[in-house]
């Protein structure tokens, strides 16, 4: 078996096929809802965890979109959110009057996304919506509205499909958890 499709030493939570199916559904939903905004849609990936998800998602969106990235640090290499959020790399272009779709890997405590959404709203966008692959509601410390959600998951530390353990294993094809 190809290394990045073998669940060991993790346990598989969501298979690569199930992820692909859900990403296609999210792409179709976004395509339908942004038809009238063509020319002004910015898909904004939060580095680095969203990169794999974003690459697949934008290829399921049947409209031309701009891509941009923002670097956010809330954890260091720890596995528990400190609640202190920093922008480590800013957008390459202004988002004034743009329709922004923020793409995140996971909403855990919600501190990162809360900070980011508030920050982006001060920049005069036409709209800002949130697309998150995963949501761990049991860990919520902030009330976050997720406009496009892949999967709700239990309170486990997950890895793969962009998510890391100490910066590794982002290239697993499936989503696993540390047993
Ligand atoms: P929050 O601020 O607690 O919502 O944390 C969000 C960020 O922490 C995410 O963007 C991830 O980068 C990281 N994170 C949270 N939970 C996990 C997990 O289970 N596995 C890997 N990274 C996680
Ligand atoms: Mg992240």
């Amino acid at each position: 078996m190809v290394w990045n499709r073998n669940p060991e030493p993790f346990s598989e939570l969501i298979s690569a096929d199930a992820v692909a199916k859900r990403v296609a559904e999210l792409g179709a939903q976004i395509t339908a809802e942004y038809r009238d905004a063509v020319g002004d849609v910015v898909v904004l990936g939060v580095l680095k965890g969203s990169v794999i998800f974003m690459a697949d998602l934008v290829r399921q969106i049947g409209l031309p979109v701009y891509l941009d990235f923002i670097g956010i640090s809330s954890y260091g290499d720890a596995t528990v959110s400190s609640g202190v959020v920093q922008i480590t790399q800013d957008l390459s272009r202004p988002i004034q009057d743009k329709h922004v779709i923020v793409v995140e890997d996971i909403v855990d405590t919600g501190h990162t996304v809360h900070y980011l959404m508030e920050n982006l709203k001060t920049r005069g966008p036409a709209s800002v919506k949130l697309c998150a692959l995963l949501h761990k509601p049991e860990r919520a410390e902030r009330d976050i509205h997720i406009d496009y959600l892949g999967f709700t998951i239990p309170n486990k530390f997950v890895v793969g499909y962009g998510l890391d353990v100490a910066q590794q294993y982002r290239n697993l094809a499936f989503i696993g958890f540390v047993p």
Side-chain angles (χ1 to χ4, degrees):
M1 191 187 296
V2 179
W3 172 83
N4 74 338
R5 291 182 179 265
N6 181 358
E8 283 167 31
F10 305 107
S11 299
E12 186 175 273
L13 183 66
I14 307 170
S15 70
D17 286 350
V19 171
K21 184 164 173 270
R22 187 69 190 121
V23 171
E25 289 169 358
L26 293 174
Q29 198 185 340
I30 289 169
T31 302
E33 291 177 21
Y34 282 81
R35 263 190 215 296
D36 297 338
V38 167
D40 291 314
V41 182
V42 179
V43 178
L44 176 56
V46 182
L47 295 170
K48 306 170 192 141
S50 74
V51 163
I52 312 278
F53 174 40
M54 179 170 169
D56 285 343
L57 178 69
V58 293
R59 284 177 292 174
Q60 299 293 337
I61 297 176
L63 305 168
V65 296
Y66 293 94
L67 302 189
D68 210 340
F69 296 94
I70 191 164
I72 297 267
S73 153
S74 52
Y75 272 40
D77 282 345
T79 55
V80 183
S81 183
S82 56
V84 178
V85 180
Q86 261 188 308
I87 292 182
T88 55
Q89 181 184 316
D90 207 352
L91 301 178
S92 64
R93 304 181 68 172
I95 52 169
Q96 177 131 27
D97 302 326
K98 300 292 185 200
H99 291 276
V100 179
I101 305 170
V102 174
V103 179
E104 247 294 31
D105 51 359
I106 185 166
V107 178
D108 187 33
T109 63
H111 289 303
T112 304
V113 158
H114 174 81
Y115 174 88
L116 179 58
M117 300 301 273
E118 293 305 308
N119 180 292
L120 294 175
K121 283 177 201 161
T122 67
R123 305 182 190 206
S127 68
V128 190
K129 287 197 176 181
L130 174 63
C131 177
L133 177 65
L134 304 173
H135 183 213
K136 257 190 242 177
E138 286 169 55
R139 296 255 307 157
E141 292 177 15
R142 294 277 191 178
D143 190 18
I144 302 291
H145 176 71
I146 303 175
D147 299 282
Y148 306 100
L149 173 64
F151 303 91
T152 298
I153 61 166
N155 186 9
K156 293 181 187 294
F157 195 81
V158 288
V159 60
Y161 200 70
L163 294 114
D164 68 300
V165 181
Q167 299 301 329
Q168 290 200 92
Y169 299 105
R170 294 189 195 274
N171 56 330
L172 296 178
F174 60 94
I175 297 168
F177 63 91
V178 184

